[in-house]
Amino acid sequence: MKPLFVILLVLVILDGCVDRLPLPEVTTQQKVIVDAMVTEGAGPHFVKLHVTSPIGTNLENATPLTNATVMISDNVGNMETLTQTSAGVYQSRVITGIVGRSYKLTFITAQNKRYESPFEEMHPAGSMENLRFEYRPNSVITGDVTQDDAMAILVDSRGVDNERNFFRWRWSGIYEVETYPHLRTRVEAVMGGPPVVIPDPLPCSGYIVNNNQIQQVDECECCNCWVSEHSSQAIVSNNAFVSQTAFNNIETAELTITRARFFKKYYVEVEQLSLSESAYNFWRNVQLQANGSQNIFQPNIIRIRGNMTCVTDPTEEVAGVFSVSAITRIAGFIPRNLIDRPVLQDSVKADCRVAYDNSTNVKPPFW
Amino acid sequence: MALKRILFSFLLVASYSSLAQGVLDSPVEIARPRSLHSLLVELEKSRPVRFYFLEEWIEFLAVDERQNGKSLKVVLDEVLAGSNISYTFLFNYAVILSKDPAIDLQRESTLRAAAEAKKQIDVVTLGDRKTDYVPGKTVRLRGIIQSETDESRMPGVTIFISNLNVSHRSDANGEFAFTIPSGEHVVHFRHLNYSEKVIDLKAYRNGTVDVVMHETPRMLEEVEVSDQAIVNRRVGESTLKLTDIKRAPTFLGEVDVIKSLQIQSGVTTVGEIASGFNVRGGTVDQNLVLYDGTPIFNTSHALGFFTAFNSDNLSAVSFYRGGIPAEFGGRVSSVLNITSKEGNYRKWSGSGGIGIISSYFSIGGPVLDSTSINVSFRSSYSNWMLRAAESNFKDLNNSSVVFYDGSLKLAHRFSSKTRLTFSAYASHDEFSLADDTLYSWKNLAGSLRLDHTHRDNFFSSLTLSAGQYGYQVQEPDPGNAFKLKYGVFYPSLNYDVSYTGKHAISFGIHNTFYRFDPGELERDSDESSSAQIRMPSEKALESAIYIGDGFDLTDKLFVELGFRLSMYNRIGSATVYQYEEGSPRLPQNTIDSTAYKNGEIVKTYLGPEPRASLRYNIDGQTSVKVGYNRMYQYLHLVTNTAAVTPVDIWQASNSYFKPQIADQLSLGVFRSSKDNMYESFIEGYYKKIENVLDFKDGAQLILNRRLETALLSGTGLSYGTELSLSKVKGRLQGFANYTWSRTLRQTDGANSTESINNGKQYAANSDQPHVVNLNWRYGISRRHFFSGNFTYHTGRPMSVPISSYTVDGVPVADFGDRNTHRIPDYHRLDIAFVIEGNHKIKKPWSGTWVFSFYNVYARRNAYSVFYREQNTRLVPYRLAIVGTIIPSITYTFKF
């Protein structure tokens, strides 16, 4: 079922359109955000504490909540106080996630306000059986009515008998890009004549200029990079519609086919995270909110509540969620030949580590 | 000339009038019945008095022994009362009788105008003026109105007595009965799509006037097809003119009843292409839409783009938004009563239309002696258009949008008093995108109605009907293949009686049984992971008895009182869960449950529904109207979207979902002027609705066995003022209306999770404080029309995020209170150019071209505002459904 199904029809037949609007005038209400997860195993487990940002501001620059005392405890008496490793990021060292146990997050801010979650049980993650890819020409709407080809990433998974099997899926991908820093040029003014273009290879390219010619003297350090990306959508199991253990054809991502992504090969890993009921409700509402935003039937808004409360002031709303998840994974390369058209190469004359966000020149061991 | 002389002499002496009254005060001896003329002649001989008059004026006037001994003044007053003759006493001896010429002149003028307009004028005389005429007395007039085309009786014909400026209407059996002052009158019989019939009536005693009306073979502009004069209409009532609808601009060429309704005062919609309509702040499910008496649950085709009724197959559309008569019930906001066309009893005829999206064809005629049939079918070919569209969207070319609807009406006349009608209606829709999930929904309605006239003014009808609404969602992907089905079946048996006399009394009993199948999920392939779920069916019985009485309390005050007593029974089998007191109503707070067996009464609600409507006619052109109604609604549309979707579910009231109860008070002043050429009104209303359902954030509504844990109950409040000015005659016709209104909701539960906006009042989705509509139609010639429509309304409320954040890399918008902001205001201009075929009555084929331009200045009206991530920021976007001018062309024909 495609949540945006009606939009396509409207946009093309009636020349409907999507325009950006100015930000509405609202009074931002600052709330504490909790982004915390205990996963199966020794960890480390991370708790990120921030305060909400005004709408329209960069989400990566959220104001951290520093110097809080953060504790994770379990239902068998273990408790650990986490260490702040960077502004607003707290990390565990000892406490271990074990399926069947319940975990609770507590933190006290510098202003002495205390926040707590209920005990959340860690359920088994089930298994993932198949990872498939599906090439979809002209299926992605970007901007107004332009369209792109896409590659869908699909998985089949199985839950565990006698469990409620609330799951969330997330993916991460790595693709290789190639740039041409040795072809960089610069323009220099010449007295009495037109400006001239002269070679200017980046030092990391391994090339130098010799007699106005470029000459390789070393290995290129910034020509090949591996760019990583991860999911930014909530995708949860639809437990009301499927049998309790089988989840088939779960579309975890639809990647727009760009020159960079699919010039070479693409590695994808999909994770299946088990969820407690309260965390599942949080992620399900996030998914509903995202799907509903462009729905022609105009779903009413959903105010998303997590599982954290402020003990000191019960009327204070706390954003975010504390998840307790076991994780199972499946990974593979997307065969380039699935795309039935040539994918042209980007000719970027720059350091690939700079040209592409989240990139590294360290080749992954499995590549 | 004699008349002029007398008038002249009257004017001449008037300035010298005297107050002396001696002669007039002296008693008169009248021993036997005799003519007034002979009495006056005798008095002239015996007393110092002279009478000036024309003999023909008073030849029908008489005196008798009852006036014996009374003064001459009293005798003259009594005898001349109610006539258009008055007298003046001058110079202590002269009694000058004068006749008011204005009434005769007006009557002559009306008849002359009708003759010039080539209206059909019949002269009818009841009784003899000399022997039967008694000035001031009333006579009773009754009759039957039939269509010349098929001899069918015609309900809803407006009977306008122009010299009195009063209107009546034929009843459901095409009959009328009313009283008028004895004398000469001009009576107009008017009905949509029929030529106006004018009767030069001389009524001196009670009598019968049967009328045969001729169908207009064309959409006449010069013939007034006005519905009942506004001053005499019920408060909150309007009748849609089908000719107007057909000449109005269209969206993609589809003539649409409900789109036309959306520009009426007090009616709005939550979106450009949203299904249904909102009346005075009500929700879509609060409108009772009746097709030949059977409720229709989904009135839309193609997800709300079009209306599921073929406008060419309708004969009448009545709409009540206030002062709703007692015979209607079951919904709390409005009634849209649609009557389909009946076949011709004499000859076969047909009509059709070809548009961009769909085409339709109707044909009707006699099948046996006294039996007629009318069949209509409309089908889309939007699939062809989708696939032909030049688009790189693979999804679009593989998409499917299909709809069709059809109707059948069979009528048989057993006698002039008994008639049996069978009406059937079906509509079907399918929608899928790129071979993905297939959505389909359908309406079925059928009714068998027996009408019988017991006496001239005593009429009854027995109606057995059944309706069905259902949808199916089908997922073809083998790994997840499923079918999700939903359905409601509702047979009903109604008996209605009406009596027309000094009191127009109607009463009846209605019974409807509901069987809801609230959801069945079936696995649709062997490898599918779909669950198999079958929700238990739910049964309910809704019954009502009603009585209504309309009567003239005084000659100016018309009163209509009604009372409807509805009873609702939720019938087992069912399981009712009990939840912990003081805790949120959630599955985990269940403390007990009660199981009810099949047929056992689970819950009963009794709904007393008083109705009242008063109309005070101030001067024949101005009236003040007051209406009050209380209505109960036992069915609820459960939705968490602003616009109705085809997969929303209807929920019957039960122990937790109490019936919606609406109280509405309306007050308005209505005025018509210039011989009803202009109509205007201002009407205010105040409406409160109890037990309106809302939903909890993220509630799972489909396949939820405990919907009471997902829904909340609140109150709705609407109030507003509607202003309207219409010109209903002439080459240029149209209206302008403005509505100021507010529609508020309040959901104040026991705790924060069961309250919305902390229990405070907030704007409902349909809250649009300012609405302006301009609509016009200009007859360039008899065959060419230029019509247009401009609409403006305040943007509907929306909720906005007050901040944003990410969790595990996923952006989340943190919304504040519900509906605190608004999407940008909406305005749009549509125009149409209509070319009709020639207007020869006998021509075998008549065609009409309609060229429409929707959204002329290509405004990108916001349909919704949403937020999406862009460069790690959440930013707002506007979605416009129609972003450009949409031209369309339609050809319709009749033969």
Side-chain angles (χ1 to χ4, degrees), chain B residues 216-273:
Chain B
T216 315
R218 53 198 162 93
M219 295 186 283
L220 284 174
E221 190 62 24
E222 68 275 22
V223 172
E224 184 194 340
V225 287
S226 159
D227 53 1
Q228 200 170 13
I230 194 168
V231 289
N232 296 313
R233 231 178 277 154
R234 173 190 289 273
V235 64
E237 179 190 1
S238 50
T239 304
L240 291 188
K241 300 175 190 174
L242 295 170
T243 47
D244 288 359
I245 295 172
K246 288 174 184 172
R247 284 173 178 164
T250 59
F251 175 68
L252 286 170
E254 294 295 308
V255 178
D256 199 315
V257 171
I258 288 182
K259 297 279 183 283
S260 299
L261 198 65
Q262 288 171 352
I263 56 173
Q264 301 289 314
S265 288
V267 185
T268 56
T269 174
V270 294
E272 185 145 31
I273 310 297

Side-chain angles (χ1 to χ4, degrees), chain A residues 109-121:
Chain A
T109 63
Q111 291 74 35
N112 218 24
K113 284 177 116 174
R114 183 184 179 91
Y115 299 82
E116 280 183 3
S117 75
F119 274 103
E120 300 284 358
E121 185 179 346

Side-chain angles (χ1 to χ4, degrees), chain A residues 257-276:
Chain A
I257 293 179
T258 62
R259 290 181 173 190
R261 263 189 184 138
F262 288 97
F263 173 60
K264 292 192 172 178
K265 56 187 178 181
Y266 193 100
Y267 176 82
V268 66
E269 180 183 86
V270 179
E271 293 180 323
Q272 177 170 300
L273 296 84
S274 65
L275 295 172
S276 63

Side-chain angles (χ1 to χ4, degrees), chain A residues 74-292:
Chain A
D74 65 20
N75 60 337
V76 293
N78 299 310
M79 198 270 280
E80 179 186 357
T81 301
L82 278 62
T83 308
Q84 184 174 218
T85 54
S86 59
V89 179
Y90 303 83
Q91 183 178 326
S92 72
R93 286 174 291 106
V94 180
I95 200 156
T96 303
I98 298 172
V99 169
R101 284 190 185 173
S102 298
Y103 298 85
K104 177 179 180 174
L105 171 67
T106 305
F107 63 90
I108 302 161
T109 63
Q111 291 74 35
N112 218 24
K113 284 177 116 174
R114 183 184 179 91
Y115 299 82
E116 280 183 3
S117 75
F119 274 103
E120 300 284 358
E121 185 179 346
M122 183 177 287
H123 296 276
S127 60
M128 299 180 78
E129 296 183 346
N130 293 303
L131 174 66
R132 290 192 302 283
F133 312 107
E134 194 175 292
Y135 174 61
R136 294 176 178 168
N138 300 317
S139 67
V140 180
I141 297 179
T142 51
D144 206 326
V145 287
T146 57
Q147 64 282 326
D148 284 306
D149 302 340
M151 184 68 73
I153 300 168
L154 304 146
V155 296
D156 295 331
S157 90
R158 294 289 173 268
V160 178
D161 288 342
N162 303 318
E163 285 280 344
R164 298 193 67 179
N165 295 317
F166 292 125
F167 293 127
R168 176 166 85 94
W169 290 279
R170 65 182 183 185
W171 61 271
S172 57
I174 298 174
Y175 58 91
E176 185 181 358
V177 292
E178 186 173 353
T179 58
Y180 306 93
H182 57 287
L183 298 180
R184 192 177 74 161
T185 57
R186 70 173 190 275
V187 178
E188 277 194 1
V190 178
M191 287 288 288
V196 294
V197 178
I198 60 171
D200 184 24
L202 283 167
C204 64
S205 68
Y207 281 77
I208 59 168
V209 178
N210 188 7
N211 290 330
N212 246 2
Q213 298 286 319
I214 57 170
Q215 180 183 354
Q216 187 168 17
V217 294
D218 204 347
E219 287 283 308
C220 178
E221 291 178 1
C222 57
C223 293
N224 289 80
C225 283
W226 285 264
V227 182
S228 59
E229 57 184 352
H230 55 80
S231 53
S232 60
Q233 280 183 302
I235 297 166
V236 297
S237 52
N238 188 354
N239 296 64
F241 273 62
V242 299
S243 67
Q244 285 299 298
T245 55
F247 300 91
N248 293 337
N249 267 353
I250 304 299
E251 186 176 311
T252 55
E254 191 175 61
L255 300 174
T256 304
I257 293 179
T258 62
R259 290 181 173 190
R261 263 189 184 138
F262 288 97
F263 173 60
K264 292 192 172 178
K265 56 187 178 181
Y266 193 100
Y267 176 82
V268 66
E269 180 183 86
V270 179
E271 293 180 323
Q272 177 170 300
L273 296 84
S274 65
L275 295 172
S276 63
E277 185 170 359
S278 62
Y280 172 79
N281 287 335
F282 172 86
W283 284 111
R284 183 171 169 276
N285 285 344
V286 172
Q287 181 178 346
L288 287 173
Q289 187 190 76
N291 290 345

Side-chain angles (χ1 to χ4, degrees), chain B residues 405-647:
Chain B
D405 56 66
S407 67
L408 165 71
K409 198 163 192 176
L410 271 168
H412 177 74
R413 290 185 303 207
F414 293 102
S415 68
S416 63
K417 293 192 169 184
T418 306
R419 192 173 68 140
L420 185 68
T421 312
F422 172 73
S423 169
Y425 166 78
S427 79
H428 180 85
D429 267 81
E430 283 184 14
F431 177 88
S432 75
L433 185 71
D435 303 323
D436 196 55
T437 313
L438 175 70
Y439 296 80
S440 58
W441 61 97
K442 66 176 180 185
N443 289 296
L444 294 173
S447 65
L448 192 64
R449 174 175 162 148
L450 180 69
D451 296 322
H452 183 69
T453 305
H454 301 272
R455 293 200 304 272
D456 281 350
N457 55 354
F458 185 36
F459 170 78
S460 72
S461 70
L462 180 68
T463 309
L464 175 66
S465 68
Q468 187 180 17
Y469 169 65
Y471 68 73
Q472 180 172 290
V473 181
Q474 190 171 1
E475 170 63 54
D477 170 19
N480 294 305
F482 67 80
K483 278 183 187 166
L484 172 67
K485 296 176 184 170
Y486 170 87
V488 52
F489 174 64
Y490 46 102
S492 82
L493 183 64
N494 298 342
Y495 184 61
D496 300 275
V497 180
S498 62
Y499 167 82
T500 314
K502 282 191 175 177
H503 286 256
I505 295 171
S506 59
F507 57 90
I509 180 164
H510 294 172
N511 283 288
T512 304
F513 173 80
Y514 296 99
R515 180 196 160 99
F516 291 87
D517 291 309
E520 182 181 356
L521 188 68
E522 281 178 14
R523 193 173 295 151
D524 207 24
S525 75
D526 291 339
E527 63 266 45
S528 170
S529 65
S530 170
Q532 301 256 49
I533 301 169
R534 187 187 179 91
M535 301 271 287
S537 62
E538 298 179 0
K539 287 173 277 197
L541 181 67
E542 185 178 342
S543 311
I545 52 172
Y546 73 89
I547 183 163
D549 182 12
F551 56 95
D552 288 304
L553 193 64
T554 70
D555 60 343
K556 290 192 168 185
L557 181 61
F558 178 77
V559 178
E560 190 164 3
L561 301 174
F563 185 76
R564 185 181 180 93
L565 182 66
S566 56
M567 185 170 76
Y568 172 86
N569 285 293
R570 170 79 172 88
I571 302 168
S573 56
T575 302
V576 177
Y577 296 93
Q578 282 89 45
Y579 300 91
E580 194 176 328
E581 197 76 30
S583 299
R585 194 185 292 160
L586 293 169
Q588 57 265 38
N589 295 330
T590 308
I591 54 171
D592 200 359
S593 66
T594 309
Y596 293 87
K597 293 176 188 164
N598 190 23
E600 201 174 348
I601 301 294
V602 179
K603 184 73 182 174
T604 298
Y605 291 104
L606 203 61
E609 304 179 36
R611 318 276 172 90
S613 175
L614 304 177
R615 185 177 71 228
Y616 185 77
N617 196 325
I618 295 171
D619 58 6
Q621 292 192 315
T622 310
S623 63
V624 177
K625 304 179 200 176
V626 184
Y628 166 77
N629 55 249
R630 164 171 278 214
M631 302 189 77
Y632 275 65
Q633 178 170 338
Y634 299 99
L635 308 181
H636 316 262
L637 184 68
V638 176
T639 179
N640 57 8
T641 54
V644 174
T645 81
V647 293

